[in-house]
């Protein structure tokens, strides 16, 4: 029987990515890709997933409710890095394999992080005299695939690159010409720019607090291409009010975006929609990897990228 792979993306992939995803199964008659793009209601998602064997999502929420509606579902692949949008406990209970596609969209996110740094350093292109990235210290908070790509690009700008990641061996980070610091506190008090690459989980939510932010040197810029939940928003309001040199730029607007935009217009910027992974290249890489992982799972039981083991 043909297996239905539902691609449910509220923010669609580039058309070229969809054609390349379809090519992966072109010579296989037992798979079919169906699209649910730009949906606005959960009911549309539930309806489309009800006869799906596999599901590909981006930041779309794979909740228990969605899984309850998907009686045939065996595998969910988050085409991207962060999988905080999948209810892993529900997936495990229902014997659904959950995967991500690590590394496939990292360069796109890293390029945006550096682009946002230039934008803030140049005063949001408002014509005033800004500053340069050359010689500035950048702290990479978590050295995964995106962090590593940020380090590579930041070095091209002539920045001094620091990182903190307790889960990555120091010699691996140092091999990239990056200085390793011993604590989160040291990273923030050392660096003019801090680029966030931590996942959102119970340990990290609201962990970026006032003391950390206030320890940053004069002219501090916090760059968030990770998740809004890792920021303590009360602390963000407080630091922006307390220090007129402090800037915050994020690819994921905080809940208090309207207030921050009103009170600190020159020193904050939030993209209208999460843009980090929104390049044709990243869409192709992550989308194709997702289809390949699904086929490898059904054909060979390959669970290499499973995150709910
Ligand atoms: C990720 O975790 O891969 C990024 O946040 C990209 O998310 P998106 O696919 O919704 O753009």
């Amino acid at each position: 029987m043909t297996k239905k792979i539902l691609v449910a993306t509220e923010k669609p992939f580039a058309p070229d990515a969809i054609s390349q995803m379809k090519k992966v199964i072109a010579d296989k008659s037992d798979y079919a890709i169906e699209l649910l793009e730009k949906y606005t209601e959960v009911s549309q998602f539930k309806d489309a997933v009800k006869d799906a064997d596999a599901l590909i999502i981006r930041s779309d929420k794979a909740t228990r409710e969605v899984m309850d509606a998907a009686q045939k579902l065996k595998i969910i692949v988050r085409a991207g890095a962060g999988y905080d949008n999948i209810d892993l406990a529900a997936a495990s209970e229902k014997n659904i394999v959950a995967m991500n596609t690590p590394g496939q969209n990292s360069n796109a996110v890293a390029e945006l992080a550096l682009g946002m740094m230039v934008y803030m350093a140049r005063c949001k292109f408002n014509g005033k005299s800004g500053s340069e990235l050359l010689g500035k210290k950048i702290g990479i908070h978590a050295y995964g695939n995106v962090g590593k790509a940020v380090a590579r690009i930041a070095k091209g700008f002539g920045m001094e690159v620091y990182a903190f990641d307790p889960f990555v061996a120091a010699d691996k980070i140092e091999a990239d010409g990056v200085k390793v610091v011993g604590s989160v506190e040291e990273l923030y008090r050392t660096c003019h720019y801090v680029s966030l690459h931590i996942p959102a989980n119970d340990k990290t939510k609201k962990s970026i607090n006032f003391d950390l932010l206030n320890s940053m040197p004069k002219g501090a810029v916090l760059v968030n291409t990770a998740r809004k939940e890792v920021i303590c928003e009360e602390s963000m309001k407080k630091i922006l009010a307390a220090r007129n040199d402090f800037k915050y730029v994020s690819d994921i607007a905080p809940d208090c975006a309207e207030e921050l935009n009103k009170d600190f217009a020159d020193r904050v910027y939030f993209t209208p929609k999460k843009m980090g992974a929104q390049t044709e290249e990243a869409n192709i890489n992550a989308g194709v990897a997702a289809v390949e992982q699904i086929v490898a799972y059904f054909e060979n039981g390959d669970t290499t990228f499973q995150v709910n083991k």
Side-chain angles (χ1 to χ4, degrees):
M1 248 210 1
T2 303
K3 290 188 171 59
K4 168 170 156 177
I5 302 175
L6 176 70
V7 180
T9 48
E10 179 269 322
K11 183 176 60 187
F13 287 119
D16 234 35
I18 297 293
S19 351
Q20 297 212 28
M21 289 160 76
K22 286 184 174 162
K23 271 194 202 143
V24 176
I25 53 156
D27 61 348
K28 298 179 188 296
S29 54
D30 45 351
Y31 292 92
I33 288 181
E34 268 184 45
L35 304 180
L36 172 72
E37 295 182 324
K38 296 185 186 170
Y39 63 93
T40 49
E41 307 296 328
V42 179
S43 59
Q44 295 170 275
F45 193 176
K46 283 164 63 177
D47 197 43
V49 83
K50 65 175 185 262
D51 57 348
D53 300 276
L55 172 64
I56 295 175
I57 51 172
R58 297 186 60 180
S59 289
D60 310 81
K61 289 188 172 47
T63 59
R64 182 178 289 274
E65 185 188 354
V66 167
M67 290 180 224
D68 279 343
Q71 290 305 316
K72 290 172 70 188
L73 196 62
K74 296 281 178 298
I75 176 166
I76 301 172
V77 182
R78 193 285 188 237
Y83 46 87
D84 47 309
N85 51 327
I86 303 179
D87 185 333
L88 294 181
S92 297
E93 267 172 46
K94 293 168 182 292
N95 290 319
I96 297 171
V97 168
M99 294 186 184
N100 64 349
T101 64
Q104 300 292 351
N105 59 19
S106 310
N107 184 65
V109 179
E111 285 189 13
L112 186 80
L114 268 294
M116 294 201 303
M117 285 182 216
V118 172
Y119 186 56
M120 295 315 274
R122 295 305 182 94
C123 310
K124 300 172 73 175
F125 305 154
N126 69 1
K128 285 187 190 154
S129 185
S131 62
E132 300 180 18
L133 300 185
L134 179 71
K136 301 292 187 307
K137 293 179 175 148
I138 176 173
I140 300 179
H141 190 166
Y143 204 77
N145 293 305
V146 184
K148 195 175 165 71
V150 168
R152 168 176 52 79
I153 304 169
K155 282 199 291 175
F157 274 90
M159 300 184 88
E160 220 180 296
V161 187
Y162 294 78
F164 175 73
D165 193 328
F167 303 106
V168 181
D171 57 344
K172 285 232 163 67
I173 302 177
E174 281 159 0
D176 292 344
V178 174
K179 297 181 182 95
V180 175
V181 297
S183 66
V184 176
E185 288 74 17
E186 191 182 345
L187 191 77
Y188 282 70
R189 72 171 174 262
T190 306
C191 296
H192 306 103
Y193 288 81
V194 169
S195 192
L196 280 168
H197 305 292
I198 50 177
N201 57 39
D202 290 346
K203 287 207 177 81
T204 61
K205 281 180 187 164
K206 294 187 195 249
S207 64
I208 309 306
N209 58 33
F210 182 81
D211 288 345
L212 271 183
L213 298 173
N214 198 32
S215 71
M216 289 178 74
K218 191 168 166 21
V221 183
L222 183 76
V223 184
N224 187 2
T225 53
R227 292 290 182 270
K228 68 176 180 183
E229 291 83 359
V230 301
I231 307 288
C232 168
E233 294 198 8
E234 285 311 308
S235 295
M236 184 52 72
K237 287 185 209 168
K238 201 169 146 194
I239 189 77
L240 285 162
R243 279 180 49 176
N244 63 11
D245 64 307
F246 194 98
K247 294 180 179 175
Y248 179 43
V249 59
S250 179
D251 189 30
I252 326 93
D255 294 335
C256 61
E258 209 179 305
E259 190 181 337
L260 296 187
N261 273 321
K262 183 166 103 4
D263 294 345
F264 312 105
D266 291 346
R267 292 187 284 120
V268 298
Y269 177 74
F270 312 117
T271 51
K273 213 172 182 107
K274 190 154 68 133
M275 295 293 300
Q278 199 57 330
T279 65
E280 192 171 89
E281 294 89 336
N283 289 175
I284 292 170
N285 294 343
V288 167
V291 181
E292 285 175 348
Q293 288 173 210
I294 287 168
V295 172
Y297 173 68
F298 282 127
E299 317 248 305
N300 313 315
D302 187 339
T303 54
T304 307
F305 297 103
Q306 187 171 357
V307 292
N308 63 334
K309 269 183 182 156

